[in-house]
Amino acid sequence: LPDGTAFRIGRLRMRYGIDSKLDGPANPLRTPEYRTIGTLSDRALEMAGYIGPIEYAAAVTQGPDFLLRYAVAANGELIGPIKTDAMNSSHPLFVRLGTDFKGATPNFGVSGFYGKGYPVLANDGFQAGDTMLFGGAIEQTRLVLKERISVDGRWNVWRLKLAGEYTAGRDRDGGEKTVQAWYARADLSVVPQRLTTQLQYDRFDDGRPSSQTMGSLGIGITAPITEESWLRLIGQGNEKLLVGRKGSWLAGSQLLFAF
């Protein structure tokens, strides 16, 4: 292969959008990809690499292989969800092209997605379990065809790291639904190597007339305990709380280890 190019095969985390450059996998304050796409980990074949400061990635994935169905007993009592074969012949495609300049030079990227996936609907609450999703709910009972394009940027200024992303696309779900998402994040190194704070705002519109555009504000504080362990405190709330209305919120702690 040319220098800087590699193939990967197996269960991978896709390189898409701002998530590919932030700590999304280890941070409960999620990047917008969890709502705009719905999943970032899948069995896949990926080609990725660098040409100087330019990075690129393209991956073909298996896509969702099951749907949830709700089993009902003979007496009509609901037993619970079971997994059934999704009969999904779609192999979603992820692509990304971006820059990776070092230092204070701004970096930009553009990403695209096409394929079938679970619909994600704006939801004024918190979906726990495997998804741990705030402001959205993944429906695993059906598949919809998704088209997405995202533009992201990063800029380091002094002790401040700025990141943002805008996503637009369509869900072909009984007609075309226009999906949009906005995301902004600032990480401040209050005490270098000792204390970092994170502030982020995101907004998600699933394009359904019955849903509402959901915005949320999140804050995180990370401090090292040892050279290879960190403690993070997070809080996240619906933007309605800022104007004195009722809204969902959550708070939590996280212990991280390097291994």
Side-chain angles (χ1 to χ4, degrees):
L1 297 175
D3 289 344
T5 300
F7 281 98
R8 299 193 302 163
I9 187 170
R11 178 165 287 281
L12 310 176
R13 186 174 181 83
M14 300 302 104
R15 307 175 204 235
Y16 185 98
I18 200 66
D19 181 84
S20 64
K21 293 300 179 182
L22 299 182
D23 56 351
N27 196 329
L29 293 177
R30 297 297 182 85
T31 54
E33 280 72 23
Y34 289 84
R35 280 169 292 193
T36 55
I37 295 178
T39 181
L40 288 171
S41 176
D42 199 357
R43 291 183 288 271
L45 172 65
E46 179 194 71
M47 182 183 73
Y50 289 86
I51 302 176
I54 306 300
E55 60 176 8
Y56 60 90
V60 178
T61 66
Q62 177 172 311
D65 56 3
F66 74 87
L67 294 174
L68 290 183
R69 295 286 185 261
Y70 290 89
V72 180
N75 61 0
E77 183 179 351
L78 184 65
I79 299 174
I82 58 174
K83 293 182 179 180
T84 61
D85 191 345
M87 302 295 291
N88 180 19
S89 60
S90 167
H91 295 285
L93 176 66
F94 288 81
V95 294
R96 175 173 170 79
L97 183 67
T99 64
D100 192 24
F101 296 109
K102 307 302 180 182
T105 303
N107 285 283
F108 301 94
V110 59
S111 303
F113 173 86
Y114 181 86
K116 288 185 178 180
Y118 301 122
V120 184
L121 307 181
N123 179 273
D124 185 9
F126 175 64
Q127 188 177 34
D130 294 334
T131 56
M132 300 292 287
L133 192 60
F134 192 91
I138 297 178
E139 290 191 2
Q140 294 181 307
T141 59
R142 58 195 176 103
L143 299 177
V144 298
L145 181 62
K146 298 184 178 185
E147 302 169 354
R148 299 286 188 273
I149 185 167
S150 300
V151 179
D152 62 85
R154 295 170 290 121
W155 188 25
N156 298 339
V157 184
W158 185 56
R159 296 181 181 178
L160 196 61
K161 295 182 178 181
L162 305 175
E165 180 179 279
Y166 171 71
T167 297
R170 292 178 294 186
D171 280 2
R172 300 185 184 276
D173 180 16
E176 291 188 359
K177 309 296 191 302
T178 300
V179 177
Q180 295 186 88
W182 302 260
Y183 177 82
R185 170 170 160 173
D187 290 66
L188 176 63
S189 179
V190 179
V191 181
Q193 310 301 321
R194 294 293 182 185
L195 182 65
T196 302
T197 61
Q198 170 193 341
L199 181 67
Q200 73 176 47
Y201 176 78
D202 61 84
R203 196 168 181 83
F204 174 58
D205 181 0
D206 64 20
R208 276 71 172 177
S210 59
S211 300
Q212 295 182 355
T213 302
M214 288 290 106
S216 65
L217 186 70
I219 186 169
I221 301 173
T222 305
I225 299 174
T226 68
E227 290 185 356
E228 295 185 343
S229 63
W230 299 263
L231 176 65
R232 176 184 286 138
L233 305 177
I234 68 102
Q236 192 166 10
N238 191 293
E239 64 181 7
K240 295 191 296 185
L241 295 170
L242 300 177
V243 293
R245 297 169 60 192
K246 290 184 178 180
S248 56
W249 63 275
L250 69 91
S253 61
Q254 186 181 40
L255 187 60
L256 301 146
F257 295 95
F259 61 91

